[in-house]
Amino acid sequence: QVHTQNKMIRLLKRDYENDSSKPSINAYWFYNEFFKIVPNSWLFLYNGTEDTDDRAKELTEGLPMLSYQAMAFALLYTPAAILSLFLLLPVMISLYVSSMFRVGEESKMGDIEHLQVVMIRMVHFVNRLAYLNENIEGDFWLYDPIP
């Protein structure tokens, strides 16, 4: 118990000690952008209320190009993406089947258009992941209340 307490104290000092001589670490939370790839559904409601309009606008833009660095990152993450898609396959199938039976909620886009927007958002996500220094956004976690 003493070891655990000392470890927690050390972690609190590391994360919340306000030393103005050191620059604070900026953290970009990639899961926010990753979850925005998937359209809203009855099971997964992560995007805003204007998501359908945003998706329709993104569809008109077309598929962006990947740089060599972004392609390298995409190849690096391909095994993890394939494994994740395989594990999520039952959920995706149930979402697709349940969307066929939902009455009263008409979508402005069809299935193919939704898949095209998913691809566009995936390319944007990989581009942001490949160029981390250009896409850093501060989280200001230093100002969180101490647990």
Side-chain angles (χ1 to χ4, degrees):
Q1 184 178 12
V2 173
H3 174 69
T4 305
Q5 183 179 7
N6 289 337
K7 183 178 177 183
M8 290 301 294
I9 290 171
R10 186 174 36 105
L11 290 174
L12 282 172
K13 283 182 180 179
R14 180 197 71 187
D15 291 342
Y16 291 98
E17 194 169 278
N18 196 357
D19 184 8
S20 60
S21 65
K22 294 189 308 186
S24 63
I25 298 171
N26 282 330
Y28 177 71
W29 301 107
F30 279 99
Y31 63 86
N32 287 330
E33 294 298 320
F34 183 73
F35 288 151
K36 289 179 183 178
I37 293 172
V38 181
N40 286 338
S41 66
W42 63 272
L43 177 66
F44 190 79
L45 196 75
Y46 193 81
N47 297 306
T49 56
E50 303 293 323
D51 184 54
T52 307
D53 296 332
D54 293 342
R55 285 179 177 275
K57 289 176 188 172
E58 287 179 30
L59 190 59
T60 61
E61 294 174 5
L63 191 65
M65 296 298 293
L66 280 174
S67 66
Y68 288 120
Q69 184 174 349
M71 281 189 246
F73 268 84
L75 286 175
L76 181 69
Y77 283 99
T78 298
I82 290 171
L83 180 64
S84 299
L85 287 174
F86 178 73
L87 293 174
L88 286 173
L89 196 58
V91 173
M92 292 188 309
I93 290 172
S94 66
L95 284 174
Y96 181 73
V97 169
S98 68
S99 71
M100 293 170 52
F101 297 109
R102 298 205 35 113
V103 179
E105 291 183 15
E106 295 298 321
S107 177
K108 296 178 182 178
M109 299 183 335
D111 296 335
I112 300 298
E113 287 86 8
H114 276 296
L115 284 175
Q116 288 174 338
V117 173
V118 166
M119 288 299 298
I120 290 169
R121 287 190 176 186
M122 286 173 98
V123 170
H124 284 300
F125 178 77
V126 169
N127 280 328
R128 290 190 80 166
L129 187 64
Y131 298 100
L132 291 176
N133 291 336
E134 297 172 14
N135 293 299
I136 292 177
E137 296 177 5
D139 181 39
F140 302 110
W141 60 272
L142 220 75
Y143 301 111
D144 290 348
I146 296 176

